[in-house]
């Protein structure tokens, strides 16, 4: 996916990270293990589940009525995570398009607002099963990129990253990360992808 911006057409941060071997290899192995047909079916199912869940969350946080035409599973996931969503207020933006000339990428963040009274980049995710933190590095890198994009666009520095993960078994996971813990790895990924401007080099601690 490519975003047209005032600084030119920029690739999606999600696509850029997903194309890197460190993240792509696991998906490729999964597709080989269960077979192409099964993988295509499950990918489509999860995409539909996530798209509907995001839309429901957006409507709820916009104080709009949620129509009854959503599938049962996304509605269940929404209801299961509603307690966490109620911690969000003073919203700066929902489904907000951002870009960074320095990072060379663009994207759309789910929510920018206060989470438990702390201004945060907030992402809504769905999953078939519980996740270990080590499995979702890409989520934190995306959120880190959104934070840096928002700072470049507005001057507002947001360091709190929140991932709300709705699980099909009815449970909810919430991961809260410090953006600055992920900047070096994000720069390393974007250097590998060739999008990062030369002056945005990885920090060296002496």
């Amino acid at each position: 996916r490519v975003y047209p911006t005032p600084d030119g057409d920029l690739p999606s941060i999600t696509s850029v990270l997903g194309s890197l071997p460190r993240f792509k290899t696991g998906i490729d192995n999964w597709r080989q293990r269960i077979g192409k047909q099964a993988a295509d079916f499950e990918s489509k199912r999860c995409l539909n589940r996530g798209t509907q869940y995001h839309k429901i969350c957006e409507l709820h946080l916009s104080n709009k009525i949620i129509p009854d035409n959503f599938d049962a599973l996304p509605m269940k996931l929404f209801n299961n995570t509603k307690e966490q969503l109620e911690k969000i207020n003073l919203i700066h933006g929902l489904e907000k398009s951002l870009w960074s000339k320095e990072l060379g990428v663009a994207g759309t963040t789910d929510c920018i607002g206060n989470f438990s009274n702390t201004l945060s980049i907030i992402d809504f995710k769905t999953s078939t099963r519980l996740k270990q933190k080590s499995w979702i590095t890409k989520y934190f890198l995306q959120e880190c990129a959104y934070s840096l994009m928002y700072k470049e666009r507005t001057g507002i520095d947001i360091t709190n990253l929140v991932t709300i993960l709705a699980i099909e078994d009815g449970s909810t996971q919430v991961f809260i990360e410090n953006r600055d813990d992920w900047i070096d790895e994000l720069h390393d990924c974007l250097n590998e992808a060739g999008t990062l401007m030369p002056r945005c080099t990885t920090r060296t601690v002496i």
Side-chain angles (χ1 to χ4, degrees):
R1 183 178 179 183
V2 174
Y3 286 78
T5 79
D7 292 314
D9 290 346
L10 296 176
S12 157
I13 179 62
T14 305
S15 300
V16 168
L17 292 175
S19 69
L20 298 178
R22 68 183 78 183
F23 300 118
K24 190 173 184 293
T25 300
I27 296 295
D28 289 344
N29 290 341
W30 169 75
R31 292 184 66 85
Q32 290 179 2
R33 186 173 67 252
I34 70 172
K36 181 181 183 303
Q37 187 173 4
D40 288 346
F41 175 85
E42 182 63 7
S43 295
K44 184 176 181 180
R45 186 185 76 86
C46 292
L47 177 62
N48 180 62
R49 174 191 70 193
T51 299
Q52 291 194 49
Y53 173 71
H54 276 77
K55 186 60 181 178
I56 296 167
C57 291
E58 181 186 358
L59 289 169
H60 174 71
L61 293 172
S62 300
N63 296 315
K64 295 180 179 178
I65 295 174
I66 299 172
D68 59 5
N69 59 348
F70 289 102
D71 293 341
L73 178 57
M75 281 301 304
K76 175 189 173 185
L77 296 176
F78 163 70
N79 287 321
N80 291 342
T81 56
K82 200 171 180 180
E83 181 180 350
Q84 298 302 324
L85 297 175
E86 294 303 322
K87 297 178 182 180
I88 300 172
N89 61 14
L90 299 178
I91 294 170
H92 289 214
L94 293 167
E95 295 296 321
K96 190 172 184 64
S97 294
L98 298 168
W99 77 96
S100 167
K101 184 177 180 180
E102 292 190 349
L103 299 179
V105 291
T108 302
T109 183
D110 294 341
C111 179
I112 300 173
N114 278 19
F115 182 84
S116 296
N117 298 317
T118 301
L119 186 58
S120 307
I121 300 293
I122 307 166
D123 249 12
F124 310 128
K125 302 291 187 183
T126 62
S127 178
T128 306
R129 57 187 59 85
L130 290 167
K131 300 282 191 184
Q132 295 182 23
K133 179 180 173 179
S134 60
W135 299 350
I136 57 174
T137 294
K138 189 165 66 170
Y139 294 172
F140 306 140
L141 294 175
Q142 289 172 3
E143 293 158 13
C144 176
Y146 296 144
S147 171
L148 296 176
M149 292 179 206
Y150 195 62
K151 182 179 180 181
E152 188 175 324
R153 302 269 59 81
T154 68
I156 299 173
D157 194 17
I158 302 174
T159 60
N160 203 52
L161 311 178
V162 178
T163 308
I164 298 175
L165 195 57
I167 317 298
E168 286 193 0
D169 68 2
S171 57
T172 300
Q173 291 179 283
V174 178
F175 296 88
I176 299 177
E177 295 291 313
N178 186 308
R179 178 207 60 197
D180 293 346
D181 293 336
W182 296 97
I183 290 178
D184 285 350
E185 186 168 354
L186 175 65
H187 283 179
D188 182 59
C189 288
L190 297 183
N191 269 321
E192 183 180 343
T195 70
L196 194 67
M197 289 185 67
R199 68 174 179 273
C200 292
T201 56
T202 300
R203 295 172 295 167
T204 300
V205 179
I206 300 176

